Amino acid sequence: MIANYIDQIIMFCAGIWITAVGFGYLPLPGNPATQPPWVVTIAGHFKWMGPLLLAIAAVLAVVK
């Protein structure tokens, strides 16, 4: 049971980080000039993936 809550906390923190990167509050790690184009493409999807991950973590924390 404790392991489930730890898993949800980790998922929630990752969702906060992804959301912050997606909306530009935190920069992507590394040098932006040397990043391949697919990194920028994936980072563009962080705007919807972060909140989705937060919602999934909240639902799983309540259900379990």
Side-chain angles (χ1 to χ4, degrees), residues 8-52:
Q8 300 316 313
I9 290 170
I10 292 170
M11 191 183 304
F12 188 78
C13 292
I16 289 174
W17 180 79
I18 291 172
T19 303
V21 170
F23 284 106
Y25 295 117
L26 293 174
L28 279 172
N31 185 1
T34 60
Q35 290 177 344
W38 60 268
V39 172
V40 177
T41 303
I42 292 174
H45 293 289
F46 280 6
K47 287 183 181 179
W48 62 267
M49 288 189 329
L52 180 64

Side-chain angles (χ1 to χ4, degrees), residues 4-5 7-8 11 53-64:
N4 289 335
Y5 287 120
D7 185 41
Q8 300 316 313
M11 191 183 304
L53 186 59
L54 288 171
I56 292 169
V59 168
L60 288 176
V62 171
V63 170
K64 289 185 178 183

